[in-house]
Amino acid sequence: MIVGLILFLGTHSIRIFADDWRREQMSRMGEKRWKALFSVLSIVGLALAIWGFGRMRLDPIWVWSPPVGLRHLVSLLMIPALILLVAAYVPHNHIKAKLGHPMVLAVKVWAFAHLLANGRLGDIVFFGAFLLWAVLDFRSARRRQPAPAVTPRASGTIVTLVVGLIAYYLFAFHLHVWITGVPVM
């Protein structure tokens, strides 16, 4: 799990800690080759992290025992997390126009929420690593030159909200247990 986290979050941290080097490599390799290498390393890292996370759950080390009520809070926090995630991809929505980096904010909310409801050491390492990365990435992204402004439209925002709520429903009530083996409630 840790090797996967290092590989996945490490590749996603290059822009935070070595943006000049990243630009040099993109220039030297070409953007398509750079993105292909980045994608392969990211997929391998994420697969290892998820596989390791599953293995960790077989023999957990408990650090604390979260109250059952926190599961309800996690369920509530996941609604804005999925709306933020969708906002990263739907064009012309007010959420992205206002916040600038909704995917990173979605990762922050997702990781924080899951830290609240999971007290195993592996959970703390897994979700804590994502939360730390998201905090650093958001701070770094805010210092970079902003993307050209796009005029938000009500239609883009409505699509974002509807698709986000549908994604929440599908994930919370159908996909979460299938993917993680853990029911939401």
Side-chain angles (χ1 to χ4, degrees):
M1 177 179 80
I2 291 173
V3 170
L5 286 171
I6 290 169
L7 191 56
F8 181 77
L9 296 175
T11 55
H12 283 78
S13 297
I14 292 171
R15 194 160 190 194
I16 299 170
F17 298 109
D19 199 28
D20 292 338
W21 179 83
R22 176 185 158 272
R23 280 193 296 270
E24 288 173 18
Q25 298 310 308
M26 284 178 75
S27 176
R28 185 177 64 77
M29 297 172 74
E31 188 174 347
K32 286 184 180 182
R33 283 184 54 202
W34 170 261
K35 286 183 176 182
L37 178 62
F38 182 90
S39 297
V40 168
L41 291 174
S42 295
I43 289 167
V44 169
L46 187 60
L48 283 172
I50 292 169
W51 177 78
F53 182 75
R55 300 290 304 161
M56 168 279 309
R57 290 175 49 209
L58 297 175
D59 191 21
I61 298 170
W62 287 93
V63 175
W64 72 296
S65 202
V68 175
L70 285 179
R71 288 184 180 181
H72 300 288
L73 180 58
V74 173
S75 292
L76 286 175
L77 288 172
M78 290 310 298
I79 295 170
L82 283 164
I83 290 170
L84 286 166
L85 181 64
V86 171
Y89 295 101
V90 174
H92 302 287
N93 70 77
H94 287 84
I95 297 167
K96 185 173 185 174
K98 179 73 174 167
L99 301 176
H101 306 282
M103 179 185 282
V104 178
L105 292 172
V107 173
K108 278 184 179 182
V109 174
W110 167 80
F112 176 72
H114 283 77
L115 279 170
L116 291 175
N118 294 285
R120 295 175 296 227
L121 180 60
D123 296 321
I124 294 167
V125 170
F126 187 83
F127 296 114
F130 275 96
L131 180 58
L132 176 61
W133 170 82
V135 166
L136 294 173
D137 190 56
F138 189 77
R139 190 177 73 185
S140 172
R142 296 293 258 187
R143 286 185 279 184
R144 289 193 294 268
Q145 181 74 15
V150 175
T151 304
R153 296 186 204 128
S155 60
T157 305
I158 291 168
V159 168
T160 299
L161 293 171
V162 170
V163 172
L165 291 171
I166 290 169
Y168 173 79
Y169 168 78
L170 290 173
F171 200 79
F173 295 103
H174 301 286
L175 298 174
H176 194 273
V177 75
W178 180 70
I179 292 170
T180 67
V182 178
V184 171
M185 291 288 173

